[in-house]
Amino acid sequence: ARAGSTGLDEQMTPGAISQLSLSDEVAFRVEFDGAMPEPSALYWRGPVLWFTDGVKWVPDLLHAGRPELHTTGSAFEYTVTLEPTGKNWIYALELAPRAPAQARFTPDLQLRTRAPVQNRLRYRLASYPDYELTGASPDELQRALQLPPGRHRRTLELAAQWRTQEPDAAHIVARALSLFNREAFYYTLSPPALLEDAVDQFLFDTRQGFCEHYAAAFVVLMRGAGIPARVVTGYQGGELNPVDGYVVVRQADAHAWSEIWLAGRGWGRVDPTAAAAPVRIESGVAAAVPQTLLDVPLALQDSVIARDLWERMRFTWDAVNNQWNQWVLGYDQNRQSMFLRRIGFDKV
C-alpha cells in the first residue's frame, strides 16, 4: 500500500513496478551543473537482480567480484536530492566511477548507504554515459546464467533454437529485440494475470506487460541462449521543471532493464522495453500510458488550457518546495551568520 511513497524494493515480481507508475510522488530531484543528457539516456541505476525462482528476482548477496570500469568522453556533473525511502540504496546516472561520501559501491555498482535513508539526502556525482564494464570472473558469469529448474519450458526451447541458428551472441540479442518490436506485444499498466509460468505466459500467450515483464523475459531468453544477463532496476527519464531548472524524477518513472555480457565488450545495457514501446524511453512514461494516470484533476482533463494552467501551477509549487528544501539542507554556519546579520546581530 505504501509502494508509491517508499519506492523501489530490492526484489522484482510481475506488477511491482507498474504499481509505482500509478504514483506521482517525487523520488528525487536532480540539478545538472551544465547541459543535461538526452531523456533517453537518463537511466538511474538502483538494485541489480541476479537470481530468480521463476517469479521473483532478487540480488546476489554473496557477490565478490568488481568489474573494471573504463569511461570515455565527458562526464555529466549533478546534485541529487533524494526523498526519504527507508532503504539502504541511492541512485546514480549510469555510470559513475566514484561514490559520494554518503555511500559505497557494491561489486555490481549499486550505491548503498550504511543506514536506511530516513531523511532527505543530498549528494553530488559525476557520471559518464560512454563506458565499458569488463573483467567479470567465471563464477560471476556462471551466476548470471542461473535459471530455476523446471520453469520457462517454452521460453528456453525458443532460446535453444536461436542458439543453434545464430552462432554470434549479438545476433541472438538482435533477434530477441526484434521479437518485441515486430510481434504484437503491448506496453500496459494493467496486463492480464499470469497464473502459471509468468515468463512463458507473457511471451507466448498474453504479450501484454510493463517494463518488469519485458526485462524478466529478455533475461531468461538470454540465459537460455547461454548469454550471461541480469536485471537492473531504478528509474528512467525525468521531467524538467522550467521554473527552477531541476529534473524531477517521480515514482512513475520507475523502470527495469537488463545488462548482458558479451565477449570482448563486457557488461552492456539492453532495454527490451525500448524495442516494444520506444516512446516510453524517448518521451517518458506519460507518453506511453493514458494521460488519466497523471495527477490532473478529473474536471480539468478535457480542457487543454486548464491542463496547461494546472501544469504551470504544479511546476511553480514544486519549485517553491524544492527551494525551501535546498535552503534547509544547505543551512550551514555561513548561512546562519548571514541570517543573524540581517536581523541586527553583526557580531555573533
Side-chain angles (χ1 to χ4, degrees):
R2 289 187 51 79
S5 57
T6 59
L8 286 172
D9 203 350
E10 202 172 21
Q11 63 183 33
M12 185 185 78
T13 55
I17 295 179
S18 55
Q19 289 180 19
L20 288 179
S21 290
L22 297 171
S23 170
D24 200 45
E25 294 290 326
V26 173
F28 52 91
R29 295 177 174 87
V30 185
E31 182 183 27
F32 285 94
D33 290 0
M36 62 175 286
E38 293 294 321
S40 59
L42 293 175
Y43 281 84
W44 306 97
R45 189 182 187 91
V48 180
L49 312 179
W50 292 73
F51 295 111
T52 177
D53 60 2
V55 178
K56 180 172 61 178
W57 288 81
V58 297
D60 180 3
L61 300 179
L62 300 178
H63 193 82
R66 175 71 183 267
E68 300 173 7
L69 173 61
H70 308 277
T71 60
T72 58
S74 301
F76 289 97
E77 298 185 11
Y78 54 98
T79 301
V80 178
T81 304
L82 179 70
E83 294 297 307
T85 63
K87 308 293 176 60
N88 286 77
W89 59 85
I90 62 178
Y91 301 93
L93 188 66
E94 291 191 325
L95 202 54
R98 287 178 292 276
Q102 302 94 326
R104 61 172 181 83
F105 278 119
T106 62
D108 49 15
L109 298 183
Q110 301 178 54
L111 275 174
R112 297 190 70 93
T113 55
R114 288 190 179 90
V117 180
Q118 304 291 5
N119 300 295
R120 192 172 285 112
L121 178 67
R122 187 167 65 179
Y123 54 94
R124 281 190 59 79
L125 284 166
S127 294
Y128 291 81
D130 299 318
Y131 62 88
E132 290 184 352
L133 277 177
T134 59
S137 68
D139 287 343
E140 177 183 2
L141 297 181
Q142 186 61 42
R143 289 199 295 274
L145 291 172
Q146 175 268 338
L147 286 169
R151 304 298 299 270
H152 318 318
R153 178 184 56 82
R154 288 187 287 174
T155 302
L156 297 183
E157 288 176 355
L158 178 61
Q161 176 185 332
W162 288 353
R163 188 175 185 178
T164 302
Q165 297 171 347
E166 303 285 357
D168 184 59
H171 290 169
I172 297 176
V173 175
R175 197 157 177 175
L177 294 178
S178 178
L179 172 70
F180 291 131
N181 180 258
R182 296 181 181 180
E183 298 291 332
F185 281 87
Y186 298 95
Y187 183 76
T188 175
L189 286 171
S190 53
L194 303 174
L195 303 177
E196 298 175 2
D197 189 304
V199 173
D200 279 1
Q201 280 189 283
F202 167 69
L203 272 181
F204 297 97
D205 300 329
T206 66
R207 295 193 165 186
Q208 300 179 49
F210 204 58
C211 60
E212 63 265 41
H213 299 85
Y214 288 96
F218 180 81
V219 170
V220 171
L221 277 170
M222 292 301 100
R223 292 183 174 188
I227 301 173
R230 59 195 184 191
V231 174
V232 182
T233 60
Y235 296 85
Q236 197 286 319
E239 182 181 39
L240 179 65
N241 187 328
V243 178
D244 61 4
Y246 276 73
V247 174
V248 182
V249 180
R250 302 181 184 278
Q251 298 298 348
D253 297 309
H255 195 55
W257 58 97
S258 66
E259 282 184 334
I260 63 170
W261 173 272
L262 294 179
R265 303 184 192 180
W267 290 106
R269 181 176 67 231
V270 179
D271 189 350
T273 300
V279 68
R280 161 65 183 90
I281 308 304
E282 296 165 3
S283 303
V285 69
V289 296
Q291 289 290 321
T292 52
L293 292 176
L294 301 181
D295 189 18
V296 178
L298 184 62
L300 305 182
Q301 289 181 3
D302 295 330
S303 170
V304 175
I305 297 176
R307 286 175 62 88
D308 183 62
L309 177 60
W310 177 263
E311 282 296 299
R312 281 186 285 170
M313 292 172 58
R314 178 169 165 261
F315 281 133
T316 302
W317 180 245
D318 185 80
V320 170
N321 276 322
N322 181 46
Q323 288 304 311
W324 169 254
N325 292 335
Q326 298 299 331
W327 193 85
V328 172
L329 286 171
Y331 192 70
D332 55 14
Q333 189 172 3
N334 290 333
R335 187 165 288 176
Q336 293 174 35
S337 299
M338 289 173 58
F339 175 73
L340 290 169
R341 281 197 297 271
R342 288 176 184 173
I343 60 175
F345 294 93
D346 294 328
K347 296 180 181 180
V348 182

